[in-house]
């Protein structure tokens, strides 16, 4: 697809034309896929990211300046998406590692099970305390101040939360 057609497609996409998006996708998906593969290095994540990038292109097509390099603009959208997505993935992995460390280092527990335990075994206050301590690194005293709770309550709820999560994970693995 040449530059003029890409410009025209982006203008139409900005106006809500889904056929233009389909045309742009069909003509540029291989290049975007190859570009994203260099970030993700696996087929599954790259395919998901490619689809997401075209949704971002649709969302932000109105910001594209006509007559500039549409291909470069699209690659910048893809790059920004990949970097943000990989940061999110690393944060989740970091949280998983931290939670597992606090649960006794059981590294064989998959990420989804840890998040499942956080969401299903704990109430909202307990979940908040665990996330503030494990993920954000707040000390119990700081959490007590943030949540306007006595220090003993925060410490007790934290210990109880870890026990609940361990029990939930034991039951879930049976």
């Amino acid at each position: 697809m040449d530059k003029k057609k890409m410009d025209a497609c982006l203008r139409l996409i900005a106006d809500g034309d889904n056929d233009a998006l389909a045309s742009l996708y069909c003509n540029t998906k291989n290049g975007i896929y190859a570009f994203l593969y260099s970030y993700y290095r696996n087929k599954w994540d790259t395919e998901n990211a490619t689809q997401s990038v075209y949704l971002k292109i649709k969302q932000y097509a109105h910001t594209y300046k006509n007559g500039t390099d549409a291909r470069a603009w699209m690659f910048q959208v893809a790059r920004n998406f990949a970097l943000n997505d990989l940061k999110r993935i690393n944060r989740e992995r970091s949280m998983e590692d931290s939670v597992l460390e606090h649960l006794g280092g059981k590294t064989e527990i998959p990420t989804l099970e840890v998040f499942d335990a956080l969401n299903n075994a704990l109430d909202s206050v307990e979940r908040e305390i665990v996330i503030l301590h494990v993920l954000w690194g707040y000390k119990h005293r700081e959490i007590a101040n943030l949540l306007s709770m006595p220090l003993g309550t925060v410490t007790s709820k934290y210990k109880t939360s870890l026990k609940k999560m361990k029990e939930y994970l034991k039951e879930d693995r049976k």
Side-chain angles (χ1 to χ4, degrees):
M1 178 176 274
D2 68 21
K3 290 181 181 186
K4 287 183 181 182
K5 286 182 183 175
M6 288 178 81
D7 273 358
C9 277
L10 286 170
R11 272 195 315 273
L12 292 170
I13 292 167
D15 292 335
D17 187 336
N18 288 328
D19 291 334
L21 180 63
S23 175
L24 184 71
Y25 175 79
C26 287
N27 287 289
T28 61
K29 68 181 177 192
N30 292 338
I32 295 294
Y33 179 91
F35 180 77
L36 288 169
Y37 193 87
S38 69
Y39 286 93
Y40 291 97
R41 295 189 176 113
N42 71 67
K43 181 181 177 182
W44 175 257
D45 289 336
T46 303
E47 287 175 356
N48 286 335
T50 300
Q51 298 299 317
S52 296
V53 163
Y54 281 94
L55 293 175
K56 291 288 183 188
I57 288 170
K58 179 179 179 177
Q59 181 181 1
Y60 293 106
H62 69 280
T63 66
Y64 171 71
K65 292 181 180 147
N66 249 354
T68 59
D69 190 347
R71 187 170 284 131
W73 182 83
M74 290 173 57
F75 282 128
Q76 188 62 47
V77 171
R79 179 181 180 276
N80 290 344
F81 177 84
L83 292 175
N84 288 334
D85 192 40
L86 290 170
K87 282 180 191 172
R88 178 192 55 79
I89 290 167
N90 286 334
R91 267 194 315 269
E92 288 174 1
R93 285 183 186 148
S94 175
M95 180 179 175
E96 174 193 4
D97 292 345
S98 296
V99 170
L100 289 172
E101 182 181 315
H102 286 264
L103 289 173
K106 297 184 180 191
T107 56
E108 73 277 0
I109 301 171
T111 306
L112 292 177
E113 290 182 32
V114 172
F115 284 109
D116 195 35
L118 268 170
N119 289 321
N120 295 318
L122 308 180
D123 65 34
S124 61
V125 174
E126 292 167 333
R127 186 171 39 253
E128 189 172 12
I129 290 169
V130 169
I131 290 171
L132 285 170
H133 183 68
V134 174
L135 180 62
W136 295 102
Y138 284 98
K139 296 184 181 348
H140 292 297
R141 183 174 312 285
E142 295 168 319
I143 295 169
N145 288 334
L146 282 170
L147 301 180
S148 301
M149 294 178 150
L151 176 60
T153 302
V154 169
T155 304
S156 173
K157 283 187 174 289
Y158 178 74
K159 289 178 183 176
T160 301
S161 298
L162 291 183
K163 286 179 187 174
K164 284 182 174 180
M165 287 181 68
K166 284 180 184 179
E167 191 58 38
Y168 183 89
L169 289 168
K170 281 181 189 174
E171 289 175 13
D172 195 44
R173 297 187 70 71
K174 288 182 181 179

